[in-house]
Amino acid sequence: MQPIMNFGTKIAQISLVLSIGAVVVVSIIILLGIFSIQRFGTGKVGFMFSPVLALWFFSLGAIGIYNLVKHDIRVLKALNPAYIYFFFKKNSSAAWSALGGCVLCITGAYCPKL
């Protein structure tokens, strides 16, 4: 429930047209939709959503390869683990804060008080 409310709150902050009541209504509609298809079982729900996810991941990969070829393929040098060593050696304590920000981005968490 919390991720859906966070999504609705972010939409309300961006649009400025939706009120908190509208966020609650949208959240309830999303939850009702999720619970209404839940009775079909995870196999059938997964079967319905797998083409959409396959298209999504294919599109992400194609856009990524296109941008690598179009702009510069040297960005792949960032995968070299020596760069993180040099970054920590140069920045020490600030590097740990940057690493914490990366972990928060990967996990999808956020800390609004930073």
Side-chain angles (χ1 to χ4, degrees):
M1 176 90 175
Q2 188 64 31
I4 295 171
M5 290 297 289
N6 284 343
F7 169 74
T9 305
K10 287 296 179 186
I11 296 292
Q13 289 174 352
I14 292 170
S15 88
L16 300 176
V17 176
L18 293 176
S19 65
I20 297 298
V23 169
V24 171
V25 170
V26 169
S27 300
I28 289 171
I29 290 171
I30 291 172
L31 285 173
L32 287 175
I34 290 171
F35 288 131
S36 68
I37 63 173
Q38 183 181 11
R39 66 187 166 116
F40 297 116
T42 57
K44 289 193 180 187
V45 173
F47 183 75
M48 287 188 319
F49 284 104
S50 61
V52 174
L53 288 175
L55 179 64
W56 176 256
F57 289 131
F58 175 76
S59 299
L60 285 177
I63 291 169
I65 291 171
Y66 170 78
N67 283 322
L68 277 174
V69 171
K70 182 179 180 200
H71 296 291
D72 195 0
I73 203 156
R74 287 184 293 166
V75 74
L76 293 177
K77 285 176 39 178
L79 298 175
N80 185 351
Y83 288 111
I84 192 71
Y85 170 76
F86 296 136
F87 181 71
F88 270 88
K89 189 174 180 181
K90 181 179 178 185
N91 297 311
S92 64
S93 63
W96 287 104
S97 177
L99 180 64
C102 291
V103 169
L104 289 175
C105 287
I106 291 169
T107 60
Y110 68 97
C111 184
K113 299 291 184 199
L114 289 181

